[in-house]
Amino acid sequence: MTYPKLSGEEITQKGKALYDRLRSKIETQENIGKLVSINVETGDYEIGDDLIVLSRQLQAKQPDAPIWAGRIGFNAVYAIGGTLIRTV
């Protein structure tokens, strides 16, 4: 799905910046390893275990939401042929 207002790179930059601002709030012991989806336009976010469910929760509030996702406390959402590196 494309988002007409922001490029993929812009969504990534804004998502990472918002994550950094939310870091102290969401990087709790109980959230480490969970997924976070952030609407980079509004700053709304959802935390859980299913990326599709999280994205749909944000899209229920704003159907064309530009969403960035990350794994809390790790450098990537998934590891394909490698390992996730813990950042916390």
Side-chain angles (χ1 to χ4, degrees), residues 3 5 10 12 22 30-31 38 50-51 58-59 64 73:
Y3 188 74
K5 294 179 187 171
E10 289 170 319
T12 299
L22 294 167
E30 68 223 19
N31 286 340
I38 302 172
D50 187 320
L51 192 55
L58 289 174
Q59 289 173 329
D64 62 346

Side-chain angles (χ1 to χ4, degrees), residues 20-83:
D20 284 341
R21 278 188 245 151
L22 294 167
R23 188 179 295 268
S24 64
K25 191 174 182 178
I26 64 175
E27 281 187 352
T28 63
Q29 192 61 35
E30 68 223 19
N31 286 340
I32 298 298
K34 289 185 178 179
L35 299 169
V36 60
S37 289
I38 302 172
N39 178 336
V40 300
E41 210 169 70
T42 65
D44 289 345
Y45 65 94
E46 298 286 343
I47 295 172
D49 296 316
D50 187 320
L51 192 55
I52 293 172
V53 171
L54 298 175
S55 296
R56 288 192 176 147
Q57 288 171 338
L58 289 174
Q59 289 173 329
K61 298 174 191 171
Q62 182 184 340
D64 62 346
I67 297 171
W68 177 86
R71 185 171 298 279
I72 298 170
F74 288 87
N75 67 333
V77 174
Y78 299 107
I80 299 172
T83 56

